[in-house]
Amino acid sequence: AQSVAQPEDQVNVAEGNPLTVKCTYSVSGNPYLFWYVQYPNRGLQFLLKYITGDNLVKGSYGFEAEFNKSQTSFHLKKPSALVSDSALYFCAVTIGTGTYKYIFGTGTRLKVLA
Amino acid sequence: DGGITQSPKYLFRKEGQNVTLSCEQNLNHDAMYWYRQDPGQGLRLIYYSQIVNDFQKGDIAEGYSVSREKKESFPLTVTSAQKNPTAFYLCASTRGGGSGNTIYFGEGSWLTVV
């Protein structure tokens, strides 16, 4: 069965410092991986995705993520955090063999401290 | 602008009452989804539809019903059989299954039992 794990419920980081939000996955085929951000009382906004190719994916608002097949991880990163990055972040996975199901992690709350 | 529109944003349900959440998309997407989000938890799939006049149960379909009479519309009815309906409901859509298509979300609807 497909699954996604976000091991940290909350991550605190000082403004200007690099941030990492962790995600690991378990799938039976080749994964397609996604990151989303959610602000209070809003829907999920797409940040970036990994399909194939370069393991480092760049996305919106300066975020990037690194796909590591051997560690089955897809961690979200940003070189310099902003207070406005404080939000709930979700990792998601699907596989490419005709499935319509997307599996989401439980979310990680990022708090950037001024 | 293309997107997914959910309405109403806030809805109150009395005991024993059925309520319907609306979801409309103008992205020309084939697949549509309903997720439930509870505070501090991830997203749980209620129903999804791959094509008009077809839909499948997700992980927590009991107490919910859907229809897909038009490509653009995927309303969700929360029936009186759903004993704990208070939650944030998210509608989403994708171009189709497989190939790592991005799933896009509406702004969500809050349902509260009074």
Side-chain angles (χ1 to χ4, degrees), chain A residues 50-76:
Chain A
Y50 171 81
I51 303 298
T52 187
D54 194 348
N55 290 343
L56 184 63
V57 179
K58 294 187 182 298
S60 305
Y61 312 119
F63 285 94
E64 57 189 29
E66 186 167 11
F67 172 66
N68 188 317
K69 189 172 183 178
S70 63
Q71 297 186 5
T72 62
S73 67
F74 189 57
H75 300 332
L76 181 70

mmCIF file of all heavy atoms in Angstrom, chain A residues 50-76:
data_model
loop_
_atom_site.group_PDB
_atom_site.id
_atom_site.type_symbol
_atom_site.label_atom_id
_atom_site.label_comp_id
_atom_site.label_asym_id
_atom_site.label_seq_id
_atom_site.Cartn_x
_atom_site.Cartn_y
_atom_site.Cartn_z
ATOM 1 N N TYR A 50 7.862 16.228 -8.242
ATOM 2 C CA TYR A 50 8.880 15.416 -8.898
ATOM 3 C C TYR A 50 8.184 14.363 -9.750
ATOM 4 O O TYR A 50 7.341 13.609 -9.249
ATOM 5 C CB TYR A 50 9.784 14.729 -7.862
ATOM 6 C CG TYR A 50 10.701 13.725 -8.517
ATOM 7 C CD1 TYR A 50 11.879 14.140 -9.139
ATOM 8 C CD2 TYR A 50 10.375 12.378 -8.561
ATOM 9 C CE1 TYR A 50 12.704 13.230 -9.765
ATOM 10 C CE2 TYR A 50 11.200 11.464 -9.180
ATOM 11 C CZ TYR A 50 12.353 11.895 -9.795
ATOM 12 O OH TYR A 50 13.166 10.991 -10.438
ATOM 13 N N ILE A 51 8.559 14.341 -11.031
ATOM 14 C CA ILE A 51 8.027 13.327 -11.936
ATOM 15 C C ILE A 51 9.150 12.378 -12.331
ATOM 16 O O ILE A 51 9.079 11.174 -12.122
ATOM 17 C CB ILE A 51 7.392 13.965 -13.183
ATOM 18 C CG1 ILE A 51 6.285 14.943 -12.771
ATOM 19 C CG2 ILE A 51 6.844 12.899 -14.115
ATOM 20 C CD1 ILE A 51 5.155 14.304 -12.026
ATOM 21 N N THR A 52 10.187 12.933 -12.914
ATOM 22 C CA THR A 52 11.330 12.155 -13.341
ATOM 23 C C THR A 52 12.464 13.121 -13.640
ATOM 24 O O THR A 52 12.266 14.326 -13.666
ATOM 25 C CB THR A 52 10.999 11.304 -14.582
ATOM 26 O OG1 THR A 52 12.102 10.438 -14.875
ATOM 27 C CG2 THR A 52 10.751 12.186 -15.791
ATOM 28 N N GLY A 53 13.677 12.599 -13.805
ATOM 29 C CA GLY A 53 14.770 13.463 -14.204
ATOM 30 C C GLY A 53 15.568 13.967 -13.020
ATOM 31 O O GLY A 53 15.858 13.231 -12.080
ATOM 32 N N ASP A 54 15.904 15.239 -13.062
ATOM 33 C CA ASP A 54 16.750 15.858 -12.059
ATOM 34 C C ASP A 54 16.160 15.670 -10.669
ATOM 35 O O ASP A 54 14.979 15.964 -10.440
ATOM 36 C CB ASP A 54 16.893 17.355 -12.365
ATOM 37 C CG ASP A 54 18.016 18.000 -11.573
ATOM 38 O OD1 ASP A 54 18.531 17.369 -10.626
ATOM 39 O OD2 ASP A 54 18.384 19.143 -11.903
ATOM 40 N N ASN A 55 16.992 15.219 -9.740
ATOM 41 C CA ASN A 55 16.497 14.939 -8.389
ATOM 42 C C ASN A 55 16.189 16.205 -7.598
ATOM 43 O O ASN A 55 15.470 16.137 -6.599
ATOM 44 C CB ASN A 55 17.517 14.096 -7.625
ATOM 45 C CG ASN A 55 17.593 12.676 -8.165
ATOM 46 O OD1 ASN A 55 16.691 12.224 -8.874
ATOM 47 N ND2 ASN A 55 18.664 11.987 -7.840
ATOM 48 N N LEU A 56 16.722 17.330 -7.997
ATOM 49 C CA LEU A 56 16.445 18.588 -7.318
ATOM 50 C C LEU A 56 15.380 19.330 -8.113
ATOM 51 O O LEU A 56 15.585 19.702 -9.266
ATOM 52 C CB LEU A 56 17.720 19.430 -7.201
ATOM 53 C CG LEU A 56 17.567 20.730 -6.408
ATOM 54 C CD1 LEU A 56 17.201 20.433 -4.962
ATOM 55 C CD2 LEU A 56 18.849 21.545 -6.490
ATOM 56 N N VAL A 57 14.263 19.554 -7.458
ATOM 57 C CA VAL A 57 13.131 20.215 -8.113
ATOM 58 C C VAL A 57 12.943 21.600 -7.508
ATOM 59 O O VAL A 57 12.933 21.745 -6.289
ATOM 60 C CB VAL A 57 11.844 19.384 -7.901
ATOM 61 C CG1 VAL A 57 10.662 20.075 -8.553
ATOM 62 C CG2 VAL A 57 12.008 17.977 -8.438
ATOM 63 N N LYS A 58 12.796 22.593 -8.362
ATOM 64 C CA LYS A 58 12.549 23.958 -7.884
ATOM 65 C C LYS A 58 11.088 24.307 -8.092
ATOM 66 O O LYS A 58 10.459 23.917 -9.092
ATOM 67 C CB LYS A 58 13.453 24.938 -8.618
ATOM 68 C CG LYS A 58 14.930 24.736 -8.299
ATOM 69 C CD LYS A 58 15.787 25.811 -8.910
ATOM 70 C CE LYS A 58 17.268 25.561 -8.632
ATOM 71 N NZ LYS A 58 17.580 25.582 -7.184
ATOM 72 N N GLY A 59 10.545 25.057 -7.111
ATOM 73 C CA GLY A 59 9.136 25.380 -7.187
ATOM 74 C C GLY A 59 8.865 26.835 -6.874
ATOM 75 O O GLY A 59 9.724 27.707 -7.007
ATOM 76 N N SER A 60 7.647 27.068 -6.408
ATOM 77 C CA SER A 60 7.186 28.429 -6.139
ATOM 78 C C SER A 60 7.805 28.989 -4.861
ATOM 79 O O SER A 60 8.172 28.235 -3.965
ATOM 80 C CB SER A 60 5.668 28.446 -6.015
ATOM 81 O OG SER A 60 5.041 27.893 -7.144
ATOM 82 N N TYR A 61 7.869 30.325 -4.782
ATOM 83 C CA TYR A 61 8.261 31.066 -3.585
ATOM 84 C C TYR A 61 9.651 30.685 -3.074
ATOM 85 O O TYR A 61 9.921 30.801 -1.874
ATOM 86 C CB TYR A 61 7.231 30.854 -2.465
ATOM 87 C CG TYR A 61 5.803 31.043 -2.909
ATOM 88 C CD1 TYR A 61 4.888 30.004 -2.825
ATOM 89 C CD2 TYR A 61 5.372 32.247 -3.454
ATOM 90 C CE1 TYR A 61 3.580 30.156 -3.243
ATOM 91 C CE2 TYR A 61 4.062 32.413 -3.881
ATOM 92 C CZ TYR A 61 3.171 31.356 -3.776
ATOM 93 O OH TYR A 61 1.876 31.510 -4.201
ATOM 94 N N GLY A 62 10.531 30.221 -3.943
ATOM 95 C CA GLY A 62 11.898 29.904 -3.553
ATOM 96 C C GLY A 62 12.083 28.537 -2.933
ATOM 97 O O GLY A 62 13.179 28.209 -2.468
ATOM 98 N N PHE A 63 11.042 27.741 -2.897
ATOM 99 C CA PHE A 63 11.145 26.395 -2.351
ATOM 100 C C PHE A 63 11.746 25.426 -3.365
ATOM 101 O O PHE A 63 11.582 25.595 -4.569
ATOM 102 C CB PHE A 63 9.773 25.874 -1.911
ATOM 103 C CG PHE A 63 9.288 26.470 -0.631
ATOM 104 C CD1 PHE A 63 8.457 27.574 -0.638
ATOM 105 C CD2 PHE A 63 9.671 25.926 0.585
ATOM 106 C CE1 PHE A 63 8.010 28.140 0.555
ATOM 107 C CE2 PHE A 63 9.234 26.468 1.778
ATOM 108 C CZ PHE A 63 8.397 27.583 1.760
ATOM 109 N N GLU A 64 12.407 24.409 -2.841
ATOM 110 C CA GLU A 64 12.932 23.326 -3.653
ATOM 111 C C GLU A 64 12.829 22.031 -2.869
ATOM 112 O O GLU A 64 12.624 22.042 -1.641
ATOM 113 C CB GLU A 64 14.379 23.589 -4.061
ATOM 114 C CG GLU A 64 15.325 23.800 -2.901
ATOM 115 C CD GLU A 64 16.693 24.284 -3.381
ATOM 116 O OE1 GLU A 64 16.779 24.960 -4.426
ATOM 117 O OE2 GLU A 64 17.676 23.989 -2.670
ATOM 118 N N ALA A 65 12.931 20.917 -3.562
ATOM 119 C CA ALA A 65 12.853 19.619 -2.886
ATOM 120 C C ALA A 65 13.799 18.656 -3.584
ATOM 121 O O ALA A 65 14.015 18.737 -4.797
ATOM 122 C CB ALA A 65 11.434 19.077 -2.908
ATOM 123 N N GLU A 66 14.352 17.766 -2.783
ATOM 124 C CA GLU A 66 15.303 16.801 -3.314
ATOM 125 C C GLU A 66 14.742 15.398 -3.223
ATOM 126 O O GLU A 66 14.416 14.925 -2.129
ATOM 127 C CB GLU A 66 16.633 16.881 -2.562
ATOM 128 C CG GLU A 66 17.715 16.002 -3.176
ATOM 129 C CD GLU A 66 19.085 16.301 -2.636
ATOM 130 O OE1 GLU A 66 19.188 17.045 -1.643
ATOM 131 O OE2 GLU A 66 20.063 15.795 -3.216
ATOM 132 N N PHE A 67 14.655 14.744 -4.357
ATOM 133 C CA PHE A 67 14.198 13.363 -4.424
ATOM 134 C C PHE A 67 15.380 12.437 -4.183
ATOM 135 O O PHE A 67 16.417 12.558 -4.855
ATOM 136 C CB PHE A 67 13.590 13.080 -5.797
ATOM 137 C CG PHE A 67 13.251 11.639 -6.033
ATOM 138 C CD1 PHE A 67 12.264 11.014 -5.295
ATOM 139 C CD2 PHE A 67 13.926 10.894 -7.009
ATOM 140 C CE1 PHE A 67 11.942 9.678 -5.514
ATOM 141 C CE2 PHE A 67 13.611 9.562 -7.232
ATOM 142 C CZ PHE A 67 12.619 8.952 -6.491
ATOM 143 N N ASN A 68 15.247 11.535 -3.214
ATOM 144 C CA ASN A 68 16.305 10.577 -2.911
ATOM 145 C C ASN A 68 15.695 9.177 -2.961
ATOM 146 O O ASN A 68 14.992 8.763 -2.026
ATOM 147 C CB ASN A 68 16.912 10.867 -1.537
ATOM 148 C CG ASN A 68 18.147 10.023 -1.261
ATOM 149 O OD1 ASN A 68 18.161 8.826 -1.550
ATOM 150 N ND2 ASN A 68 19.178 10.628 -0.713
ATOM 151 N N LYS A 69 15.962 8.473 -4.036
ATOM 152 C CA LYS A 69 15.322 7.176 -4.230
ATOM 153 C C LYS A 69 15.794 6.144 -3.213
ATOM 154 O O LYS A 69 14.992 5.351 -2.706
ATOM 155 C CB LYS A 69 15.583 6.662 -5.651
ATOM 156 C CG LYS A 69 14.792 5.427 -6.012
ATOM 157 C CD LYS A 69 14.947 5.070 -7.482
ATOM 158 C CE LYS A 69 14.073 3.869 -7.840
ATOM 159 N NZ LYS A 69 14.171 3.536 -9.285
ATOM 160 N N SER A 70 17.076 6.149 -2.891
ATOM 161 C CA SER A 70 17.605 5.143 -1.974
ATOM 162 C C SER A 70 17.057 5.322 -0.563
ATOM 163 O O SER A 70 16.855 4.346 0.168
ATOM 164 C CB SER A 70 19.128 5.192 -1.961
ATOM 165 O OG SER A 70 19.574 6.435 -1.473
ATOM 166 N N GLN A 71 16.807 6.565 -0.180
ATOM 167 C CA GLN A 71 16.254 6.832 1.142
ATOM 168 C C GLN A 71 14.740 7.025 1.098
ATOM 169 O O GLN A 71 14.134 7.300 2.136
ATOM 170 C CB GLN A 71 16.925 8.076 1.748
ATOM 171 C CG GLN A 71 18.411 7.903 1.979
ATOM 172 C CD GLN A 71 19.033 9.085 2.705
ATOM 173 O OE1 GLN A 71 18.349 10.007 3.119
ATOM 174 N NE2 GLN A 71 20.351 9.066 2.823
ATOM 175 N N THR A 72 14.154 6.881 -0.050
ATOM 176 C CA THR A 72 12.714 7.098 -0.270
ATOM 177 C C THR A 72 12.238 8.367 0.427
ATOM 178 O O THR A 72 11.262 8.367 1.199
ATOM 179 C CB THR A 72 11.854 5.890 0.184
ATOM 180 O OG1 THR A 72 12.021 5.671 1.595
ATOM 181 C CG2 THR A 72 12.240 4.640 -0.574
ATOM 182 N N SER A 73 12.947 9.455 0.121
ATOM 183 C CA SER A 73 12.611 10.720 0.760
ATOM 184 C C SER A 73 12.423 11.814 -0.282
ATOM 185 O O SER A 73 12.927 11.723 -1.419
ATOM 186 C CB SER A 73 13.699 11.126 1.748
ATOM 187 O OG SER A 73 14.911 11.432 1.077
ATOM 188 N N PHE A 74 11.713 12.853 0.135
ATOM 189 C CA PHE A 74 11.451 13.999 -0.732
ATOM 190 C C PHE A 74 11.305 15.216 0.180
ATOM 191 O O PHE A 74 10.228 15.755 0.372
ATOM 192 C CB PHE A 74 10.189 13.757 -1.560
ATOM 193 C CG PHE A 74 9.935 14.775 -2.641
ATOM 194 C CD1 PHE A 74 10.880 15.029 -3.623
ATOM 195 C CD2 PHE A 74 8.727 15.458 -2.698
ATOM 196 C CE1 PHE A 74 10.641 15.949 -4.628
ATOM 197 C CE2 PHE A 74 8.466 16.381 -3.702
ATOM 198 C CZ PHE A 74 9.426 16.618 -4.660
ATOM 199 N N HIS A 75 12.404 15.656 0.725
ATOM 200 C CA HIS A 75 12.397 16.746 1.708
ATOM 201 C C HIS A 75 12.262 18.103 1.034
ATOM 202 O O HIS A 75 12.923 18.372 0.020
ATOM 203 C CB HIS A 75 13.663 16.723 2.548
ATOM 204 C CG HIS A 75 13.860 15.442 3.317
ATOM 205 N ND1 HIS A 75 12.817 14.657 3.729
ATOM 206 C CD2 HIS A 75 15.008 14.830 3.730
ATOM 207 C CE1 HIS A 75 13.285 13.598 4.382
ATOM 208 N NE2 HIS A 75 14.607 13.674 4.389
ATOM 209 N N LEU A 76 11.467 18.961 1.637
ATOM 210 C CA LEU A 76 11.260 20.329 1.148
ATOM 211 C C LEU A 76 12.276 21.248 1.810
ATOM 212 O O LEU A 76 12.489 21.163 3.024
ATOM 213 C CB LEU A 76 9.837 20.793 1.494
ATOM 214 C CG LEU A 76 9.435 22.183 1.035
ATOM 215 C CD1 LEU A 76 9.298 22.215 -0.492
ATOM 216 C CD2 LEU A 76 8.128 22.596 1.705
#
